[in-house]
Amino acid sequence: AQSVTQPDIHITVSEGASLELRCNYSYGATPYLFWYVQSPGQGLQLLLKYFSGDTLVQGIKGFEAEFKRSQSSFNLRKPSVHWSDAAEYFCAVGDISNFGNEKLTFGTGTRLTIIP
Amino acid sequence: NAGVTQTPKFQVLKTGQSMTLQCAQDMNHEYMSWYRQDPGMGLRLIHYSVGAGITDQGEVPNGYNVSRSTTEDFPLRLLSAAPSQTSVYFCASSLDVGGQPQHFGDGTRLSIL
């Protein structure tokens, strides 16, 4: 069964500093990988996704993520965070064995706090 | 263009009561899904639908029913509410061939007493 681990429950970063959120997955083949962001009281918003090809994917809001098969990781990065980036971030893995009908497994999330 | 609309936003039920959480999308998306979000557990898939008339179970379907009579609507029914169903429920939809949810509603916070 697929699984996702986000080892950091809570991260605090100064505004303007760089950010890296960790995500490790367990899956038997090349997975579909996703990052979502959730602002307080709202639903999730898709930041970016990886299906195949270039292992460095660009997303919205200036985020990027790199797929590293050897490390089973899909870490999210941003070179300079803004106060508006404070939110909870979820990594998810999709089961590609049932293409067109993937079921996502979500990590438990990382809460990001931005300090001035 | 409203996106994904969920109603109600908040609801308190007594154990054993039934209710329906409404979800509607105006983007003509084929794929819709329901998730529940519990502290420290991320989101878990309850039920999903790949088109009108087609539904299937997700990871945690017990105690919930769904139907998809139209492309736009995907209601979630709690048949006999239990305290374990206290959670925040999210409806999502997707246009892509893959079912990954790209548009989420703002959620329904449900408390079962």
Side-chain angles (χ1 to χ4, degrees), chain A residues 36 38 44 49 101-102 108, chain B residues 37 48 96 98-99 101-102 104:
Chain A
Y36 290 85
Q38 183 180 32
L44 279 68
K49 57 187 177 183
N101 204 10
E102 295 87 349
T108 54
Chain B
Q37 183 177 32
Y48 65 96
D96 287 2
Q102 294 190 337
F104 279 82

Side-chain angles (χ1 to χ4, degrees), chain A residues 17-109:
Chain A
S18 63
L19 171 70
E20 183 168 27
L21 302 182
R22 296 184 290 166
C23 172
N24 293 98
Y25 68 89
S26 173
Y27 186 70
T30 300
Y32 288 172
L33 293 162
F34 309 86
W35 274 100
Y36 290 85
V37 60
Q38 183 180 32
S39 298
Q42 296 187 9
L44 279 68
Q45 181 181 23
L46 180 65
L47 284 176
L48 48 79
K49 57 187 177 183
Y50 171 79
F51 283 177
S52 64
D54 192 347
T55 56
L56 184 64
V57 294
Q58 303 297 321
I60 63 171
K61 302 178 184 281
F63 286 93
E64 66 177 26
E66 186 171 13
F67 170 59
K68 293 185 177 180
R69 184 191 306 275
S70 62
Q71 299 178 17
S72 297
S73 69
F74 189 56
N75 294 350
L76 182 71
R77 301 193 295 245
K78 187 169 185 178
S80 176
V81 298
H82 186 263
W83 64 267
S84 60
D85 293 324
E88 187 137 20
Y89 291 80
F90 292 92
C91 181
V93 60
D95 177 5
I96 66 169
S97 64
N98 193 14
F99 181 71
N101 204 10
E102 295 87 349
K103 300 177 185 179
L104 294 191
T105 299
F106 284 83
T108 54

Side-chain angles (χ1 to χ4, degrees), chain B residues 48-72:
Chain B
Y48 65 96
S49 169
V50 299
I54 306 170
T55 64
D56 204 350
Q57 296 181 351
E59 181 184 357
V60 288
N62 292 341
Y64 308 94
N65 274 357
V66 292
S67 59
R68 186 91 180 271
S69 56
T70 66
T71 299
E72 294 76 20

